[in-house]
Amino acid sequence: MAEQIVTKLWRVSPDDPSPEELQEAVAALRAGYLVAFPTETVYGLGADALNPEAVRRIFVAKGRPADNPLIVHVSSVDMARELTGCHDQLAVVERLADAFWPGPLTVVVTRTPAIPDVVTAGLHTVGLRWPAHPVAHRLIQLLGRPVAAPSANRSGRPSPTLAEHVLADLNGRIAGVIDGGPCAVGLESSVVDVTQWPPVLLRPGGVTPADLERVLGEPVEIHPNIDAAAVVESDEPVRSPGMKYVHYAPVTPVVLLEPPVDAQRVRAAAAAERSKGSRVGLLLTEETAKAGFDCPVLLLGSRAHPETIGESLFRLLRKIDDGSYDVVIVEGIEPVGVGLAVMNRLRRAATVRLTV
Ligand code: TXA
Ligand code: MG
């Protein structure tokens, strides 16, 4: 059971938070407590990564399975270097850092013994990320130590992209939330494993396979689970343990239309659900929504700019649980570029996937 505590809300200047604004949050982290903070991807639930007691609290507060490792957040390439246990991997880390850090990329490397076992769920590797959000960056810098942080949601829920999402899931279970406004990317970081060559993409995000290839000079391997449906039923060792759990699931059932989607397919799916007496909501791109529908439509963003869909996706997956709908039909997009990350999350959120 998580201890019941009073969760503080700290409002700070998102673009340039002062040390004074972050003082209480830093003190809480230093004392071994949990603080949620904004990053450019999603809100993270942070603990001092070098304090095993503090890190254990993350698993309790989230209800997170102990075999799912945490990402360690740093505020410089030097900090990342100190946590990397294999000299040969440093050149790749530096090349990726040069191109994408600070930013939405997590690099999995062989770890040093300085990182407690509880952080990595006993794996000999660790995921490292230097976040670009000024609040996240300043917080780690002021603490002067790496910060372990998963997304700040209860396990299995959509990741939070607003401070109010964090409070909805974790109020009374953590020391505080730093409110730095909405997260710009809206999807969690891309995770790439560089302990082998070519590196393997374990989770798609804002940094695309094409972006990685441009910098590495070779295509990354795409882990097969990226395209898979919600739960991987297998006795094989799981490369990225996070991949085997149901994720991002709203309470309201989600019917995902695999691409290509047009107005006619949406209408047919809506009619089928309505004939069961269900109140139907539609989650559509701006392009498809233009056709006009006789059910409520929530706008996902533009198909031509999948990053706009990434930005709104988790907020909408939470919104559809407001009691208005018995089922929500969601338009899928082409799984390329940021679309690969969007579809990876949608396939895990979906109750049913309909192909053409
Ligand atoms: O954008 C993000 O990555 C956010 C913000 C807060 O930085 N964090 C985040 O953490 O999404 P989390 O814990 O929700 O997802 C981390 C993912 C999980 O799928 C986990 O299994 C994988 O990264 N991961 C972490 N360490 C790993 C490792 N050593 N090897 C393989 N996968 C790892
Ligand atoms: Mg998560």
Side-chain angles (χ1 to χ4, degrees), residues 75-104:
S75 57
S76 68
V77 178
D78 270 343
M79 219 183 209
R81 244 185 238 117
E82 278 170 30
L83 300 171
T84 303
C86 171
H87 188 77
D88 294 348
Q89 292 162 17
L90 282 177
V92 188
V93 174
E94 279 161 15
R95 223 181 324 150
L96 290 172
D98 246 10
F100 304 114
W101 277 2

mmCIF file of all heavy atoms in Angstrom, residues 75-104:
data_model
loop_
_atom_site.group_PDB
_atom_site.id
_atom_site.type_symbol
_atom_site.label_atom_id
_atom_site.label_comp_id
_atom_site.label_asym_id
_atom_site.label_seq_id
_atom_site.Cartn_x
_atom_site.Cartn_y
_atom_site.Cartn_z
ATOM 1 N N SER A 75 21.367 15.569 -16.969
ATOM 2 C CA SER A 75 21.324 16.957 -17.427
ATOM 3 C C SER A 75 22.597 17.349 -18.176
ATOM 4 O O SER A 75 22.889 18.528 -18.357
ATOM 5 C CB SER A 75 21.085 17.905 -16.253
ATOM 6 O OG SER A 75 22.090 17.725 -15.282
ATOM 7 N N SER A 76 23.360 16.326 -18.612
ATOM 8 C CA SER A 76 24.539 16.589 -19.446
ATOM 9 C C SER A 76 25.018 15.273 -20.039
ATOM 10 O O SER A 76 24.672 14.194 -19.536
ATOM 11 C CB SER A 76 25.677 17.194 -18.608
ATOM 12 O OG SER A 76 26.168 16.220 -17.692
ATOM 13 N N VAL A 77 25.814 15.374 -21.092
ATOM 14 C CA VAL A 77 26.392 14.164 -21.681
ATOM 15 C C VAL A 77 27.406 13.554 -20.710
ATOM 16 O O VAL A 77 27.535 12.332 -20.608
ATOM 17 C CB VAL A 77 27.040 14.466 -23.053
ATOM 18 C CG1 VAL A 77 27.687 13.223 -23.646
ATOM 19 C CG2 VAL A 77 26.002 15.015 -24.027
ATOM 20 N N ASP A 78 28.085 14.412 -19.956
ATOM 21 C CA ASP A 78 29.054 13.911 -18.966
ATOM 22 C C ASP A 78 28.384 12.989 -17.951
ATOM 23 O O ASP A 78 28.923 11.940 -17.586
ATOM 24 C CB ASP A 78 29.692 15.086 -18.205
ATOM 25 C CG ASP A 78 30.945 15.571 -18.901
ATOM 26 O OD1 ASP A 78 31.468 14.812 -19.745
ATOM 27 O OD2 ASP A 78 31.372 16.716 -18.625
ATOM 28 N N MET A 79 27.211 13.390 -17.486
ATOM 29 C CA MET A 79 26.462 12.581 -16.515
ATOM 30 C C MET A 79 26.114 11.229 -17.137
ATOM 31 O O MET A 79 26.199 10.189 -16.474
ATOM 32 C CB MET A 79 25.182 13.332 -16.128
ATOM 33 C CG MET A 79 24.787 13.251 -14.681
ATOM 34 S SD MET A 79 23.208 14.144 -14.485
ATOM 35 C CE MET A 79 23.346 14.702 -12.830
ATOM 36 N N ALA A 80 25.743 11.224 -18.415
ATOM 37 C CA ALA A 80 25.410 9.978 -19.113
ATOM 38 C C ALA A 80 26.652 9.099 -19.246
ATOM 39 O O ALA A 80 26.600 7.881 -19.056
ATOM 40 C CB ALA A 80 24.824 10.276 -20.490
ATOM 41 N N ARG A 81 27.776 9.727 -19.550
ATOM 42 C CA ARG A 81 29.046 8.996 -19.689
ATOM 43 C C ARG A 81 29.385 8.255 -18.400
ATOM 44 O O ARG A 81 29.801 7.099 -18.422
ATOM 45 C CB ARG A 81 30.153 10.001 -19.999
ATOM 46 C CG ARG A 81 30.773 9.794 -21.341
ATOM 47 C CD ARG A 81 31.944 10.744 -21.532
ATOM 48 N NE ARG A 81 31.718 11.564 -22.691
ATOM 49 C CZ ARG A 81 31.590 12.892 -22.700
ATOM 50 N NH1 ARG A 81 31.709 13.578 -21.569
ATOM 51 N NH2 ARG A 81 31.373 13.535 -23.811
ATOM 52 N N GLU A 82 29.181 8.933 -17.273
ATOM 53 C CA GLU A 82 29.525 8.335 -15.973
ATOM 54 C C GLU A 82 28.670 7.126 -15.641
ATOM 55 O O GLU A 82 29.056 6.293 -14.825
ATOM 56 C CB GLU A 82 29.365 9.373 -14.858
ATOM 57 C CG GLU A 82 30.574 10.278 -14.748
ATOM 58 C CD GLU A 82 30.303 11.446 -13.805
ATOM 59 O OE1 GLU A 82 29.503 11.267 -12.867
ATOM 60 O OE2 GLU A 82 30.888 12.516 -14.030
ATOM 61 N N LEU A 83 27.502 7.019 -16.268
ATOM 62 C CA LEU A 83 26.589 5.915 -15.960
ATOM 63 C C LEU A 83 26.694 4.787 -16.979
ATOM 64 O O LEU A 83 26.023 3.764 -16.864
ATOM 65 C CB LEU A 83 25.146 6.436 -15.897
ATOM 66 C CG LEU A 83 24.900 7.522 -14.832
ATOM 67 C CD1 LEU A 83 23.520 8.131 -14.991
ATOM 68 C CD2 LEU A 83 25.072 6.949 -13.425
ATOM 69 N N THR A 84 27.532 5.007 -18.012
ATOM 70 C CA THR A 84 27.704 4.000 -19.068
ATOM 71 C C THR A 84 28.873 3.088 -18.708
ATOM 72 O O THR A 84 29.993 3.565 -18.498
ATOM 73 C CB THR A 84 27.958 4.694 -20.424
ATOM 74 O OG1 THR A 84 26.872 5.577 -20.680
ATOM 75 C CG2 THR A 84 28.071 3.675 -21.553
ATOM 76 N N GLY A 85 28.587 1.782 -18.649
ATOM 77 C CA GLY A 85 29.597 0.850 -18.162
ATOM 78 C C GLY A 85 30.462 0.236 -19.246
ATOM 79 O O GLY A 85 31.378 -0.525 -18.949
ATOM 80 N N CYS A 86 30.206 0.533 -20.508
ATOM 81 C CA CYS A 86 30.989 -0.088 -21.584
ATOM 82 C C CYS A 86 31.590 0.992 -22.463
ATOM 83 O O CYS A 86 30.870 1.772 -23.099
ATOM 84 C CB CYS A 86 30.082 -1.011 -22.407
ATOM 85 S SG CYS A 86 30.885 -1.626 -23.897
ATOM 86 N N HIS A 87 32.910 1.032 -22.467
ATOM 87 C CA HIS A 87 33.634 2.091 -23.167
ATOM 88 C C HIS A 87 33.280 2.141 -24.654
ATOM 89 O O HIS A 87 33.125 3.211 -25.226
ATOM 90 C CB HIS A 87 35.140 1.880 -22.975
ATOM 91 C CG HIS A 87 35.943 3.019 -23.489
ATOM 92 N ND1 HIS A 87 36.065 4.204 -22.798
ATOM 93 C CD2 HIS A 87 36.603 3.188 -24.661
ATOM 94 C CE1 HIS A 87 36.792 5.044 -23.510
ATOM 95 N NE2 HIS A 87 37.128 4.456 -24.649
ATOM 96 N N ASP A 88 33.123 0.950 -25.260
ATOM 97 C CA ASP A 88 32.855 0.895 -26.709
ATOM 98 C C ASP A 88 31.544 1.572 -27.100
ATOM 99 O O ASP A 88 31.377 1.991 -28.244
ATOM 100 C CB ASP A 88 32.794 -0.559 -27.194
ATOM 101 C CG ASP A 88 34.147 -1.235 -27.066
ATOM 102 O OD1 ASP A 88 35.142 -0.510 -26.836
ATOM 103 O OD2 ASP A 88 34.208 -2.471 -27.194
ATOM 104 N N GLN A 89 30.607 1.641 -26.174
ATOM 105 C CA GLN A 89 29.298 2.220 -26.522
ATOM 106 C C GLN A 89 29.313 3.749 -26.464
ATOM 107 O O GLN A 89 28.400 4.398 -26.978
ATOM 108 C CB GLN A 89 28.221 1.677 -25.567
ATOM 109 C CG GLN A 89 27.946 0.201 -25.776
ATOM 110 C CD GLN A 89 27.219 -0.427 -24.578
ATOM 111 O OE1 GLN A 89 26.654 0.269 -23.745
ATOM 112 N NE2 GLN A 89 27.275 -1.747 -24.499
ATOM 113 N N LEU A 90 30.371 4.297 -25.855
ATOM 114 C CA LEU A 90 30.380 5.749 -25.648
ATOM 115 C C LEU A 90 30.340 6.547 -26.943
ATOM 116 O O LEU A 90 29.660 7.569 -27.043
ATOM 117 C CB LEU A 90 31.608 6.161 -24.829
ATOM 118 C CG LEU A 90 31.492 5.892 -23.329
ATOM 119 C CD1 LEU A 90 32.795 6.258 -22.621
ATOM 120 C CD2 LEU A 90 30.330 6.663 -22.726
ATOM 121 N N ALA A 91 31.036 6.040 -27.973
ATOM 122 C CA ALA A 91 31.078 6.781 -29.239
ATOM 123 C C ALA A 91 29.681 6.890 -29.837
ATOM 124 O O ALA A 91 29.291 7.940 -30.357
ATOM 125 C CB ALA A 91 32.027 6.087 -30.216
ATOM 126 N N VAL A 92 28.901 5.796 -29.752
ATOM 127 C CA VAL A 92 27.534 5.814 -30.308
ATOM 128 C C VAL A 92 26.658 6.756 -29.479
ATOM 129 O O VAL A 92 25.876 7.539 -30.020
ATOM 130 C CB VAL A 92 26.920 4.396 -30.319
ATOM 131 C CG1 VAL A 92 25.593 4.400 -31.076
ATOM 132 C CG2 VAL A 92 27.886 3.394 -30.937
ATOM 133 N N VAL A 93 26.800 6.657 -28.144
ATOM 134 C CA VAL A 93 26.025 7.540 -27.267
ATOM 135 C C VAL A 93 26.309 8.999 -27.618
ATOM 136 O O VAL A 93 25.393 9.819 -27.755
ATOM 137 C CB VAL A 93 26.356 7.282 -25.779
ATOM 138 C CG1 VAL A 93 25.674 8.300 -24.878
ATOM 139 C CG2 VAL A 93 25.969 5.864 -25.378
ATOM 140 N N GLU A 94 27.584 9.317 -27.796
ATOM 141 C CA GLU A 94 27.952 10.709 -28.075
ATOM 142 C C GLU A 94 27.401 11.189 -29.406
ATOM 143 O O GLU A 94 26.935 12.313 -29.543
ATOM 144 C CB GLU A 94 29.475 10.876 -28.010
ATOM 145 C CG GLU A 94 29.933 11.013 -26.572
ATOM 146 C CD GLU A 94 31.422 10.736 -26.369
ATOM 147 O OE1 GLU A 94 32.178 10.719 -27.374
ATOM 148 O OE2 GLU A 94 31.811 10.519 -25.203
ATOM 149 N N ARG A 95 27.430 10.282 -30.397
ATOM 150 C CA ARG A 95 26.897 10.664 -31.711
ATOM 151 C C ARG A 95 25.391 10.939 -31.619
ATOM 152 O O ARG A 95 24.887 11.921 -32.157
ATOM 153 C CB ARG A 95 27.169 9.545 -32.729
ATOM 154 C CG ARG A 95 27.647 10.142 -34.025
ATOM 155 C CD ARG A 95 27.942 9.170 -35.143
ATOM 156 N NE ARG A 95 28.522 7.907 -34.762
ATOM 157 C CZ ARG A 95 28.310 6.779 -35.454
ATOM 158 N NH1 ARG A 95 27.502 6.777 -36.504
ATOM 159 N NH2 ARG A 95 28.892 5.655 -35.097
ATOM 160 N N LEU A 96 24.676 10.054 -30.927
ATOM 161 C CA LEU A 96 23.225 10.246 -30.783
ATOM 162 C C LEU A 96 22.931 11.483 -29.932
ATOM 163 O O LEU A 96 22.010 12.247 -30.222
ATOM 164 C CB LEU A 96 22.586 9.001 -30.171
ATOM 165 C CG LEU A 96 22.557 7.774 -31.090
ATOM 166 C CD1 LEU A 96 22.087 6.531 -30.329
ATOM 167 C CD2 LEU A 96 21.644 8.015 -32.297
ATOM 168 N N ALA A 97 23.739 11.677 -28.888
ATOM 169 C CA ALA A 97 23.543 12.835 -28.010
ATOM 170 C C ALA A 97 23.743 14.135 -28.785
ATOM 171 O O ALA A 97 22.971 15.079 -28.645
ATOM 172 C CB ALA A 97 24.503 12.758 -26.833
ATOM 173 N N ASP A 98 24.780 14.155 -29.618
ATOM 174 C CA ASP A 98 25.062 15.330 -30.445
ATOM 175 C C ASP A 98 23.854 15.728 -31.281
ATOM 176 O O ASP A 98 23.524 16.901 -31.411
ATOM 177 C CB ASP A 98 26.192 14.976 -31.418
ATOM 178 C CG ASP A 98 27.428 15.777 -31.128
ATOM 179 O OD1 ASP A 98 27.451 16.441 -30.081
ATOM 180 O OD2 ASP A 98 28.358 15.732 -31.968
ATOM 181 N N ALA A 99 23.197 14.715 -31.827
ATOM 182 C CA ALA A 99 22.088 14.979 -32.750
ATOM 183 C C ALA A 99 20.761 15.216 -32.018
ATOM 184 O O ALA A 99 19.954 16.023 -32.452
ATOM 185 C CB ALA A 99 21.944 13.812 -33.732
ATOM 186 N N PHE A 100 20.520 14.486 -30.931
ATOM 187 C CA PHE A 100 19.148 14.459 -30.385
ATOM 188 C C PHE A 100 19.009 14.907 -28.932
ATOM 189 O O PHE A 100 17.896 14.982 -28.419
ATOM 190 C CB PHE A 100 18.565 13.049 -30.525
ATOM 191 C CG PHE A 100 18.569 12.537 -31.933
ATOM 192 C CD1 PHE A 100 19.363 11.458 -32.295
ATOM 193 C CD2 PHE A 100 17.779 13.154 -32.907
ATOM 194 C CE1 PHE A 100 19.367 10.989 -33.601
ATOM 195 C CE2 PHE A 100 17.771 12.688 -34.210
ATOM 196 C CZ PHE A 100 18.572 11.605 -34.566
ATOM 197 N N TRP A 101 20.097 15.119 -28.216
ATOM 198 C CA TRP A 101 19.999 15.545 -26.818
ATOM 199 C C TRP A 101 20.314 17.017 -26.673
ATOM 200 O O TRP A 101 21.193 17.508 -27.382
ATOM 201 C CB TRP A 101 20.971 14.734 -25.952
ATOM 202 C CG TRP A 101 20.468 13.390 -25.526
ATOM 203 C CD1 TRP A 101 19.275 12.815 -25.843
ATOM 204 C CD2 TRP A 101 21.176 12.446 -24.715
ATOM 205 N NE1 TRP A 101 19.196 11.560 -25.280
ATOM 206 C CE2 TRP A 101 20.345 11.313 -24.579
ATOM 207 C CE3 TRP A 101 22.419 12.447 -24.081
ATOM 208 C CZ2 TRP A 101 20.731 10.193 -23.837
ATOM 209 C CZ3 TRP A 101 22.809 11.344 -23.349
ATOM 210 C CH2 TRP A 101 21.957 10.226 -23.224
ATOM 211 N N PRO A 102 19.677 17.729 -25.770
ATOM 212 C CA PRO A 102 18.558 17.226 -24.982
ATOM 213 C C PRO A 102 17.349 16.994 -25.893
ATOM 214 O O PRO A 102 17.119 17.781 -26.794
ATOM 215 C CB PRO A 102 18.284 18.341 -23.968
ATOM 216 C CG PRO A 102 18.877 19.570 -24.585
ATOM 217 C CD PRO A 102 20.006 19.126 -25.451
ATOM 218 N N GLY A 103 16.588 15.919 -25.631
ATOM 219 C CA GLY A 103 15.433 15.642 -26.473
ATOM 220 C C GLY A 103 14.805 14.285 -26.220
ATOM 221 O O GLY A 103 15.218 13.561 -25.305
ATOM 222 N N PRO A 104 13.801 13.934 -27.061
ATOM 223 C CA PRO A 104 12.952 12.764 -26.789
ATOM 224 C C PRO A 104 13.554 11.429 -27.234
ATOM 225 O O PRO A 104 12.890 10.648 -27.906
ATOM 226 C CB PRO A 104 11.667 13.087 -27.569
ATOM 227 C CG PRO A 104 12.135 13.929 -28.709
ATOM 228 C CD PRO A 104 13.309 14.724 -28.203
#
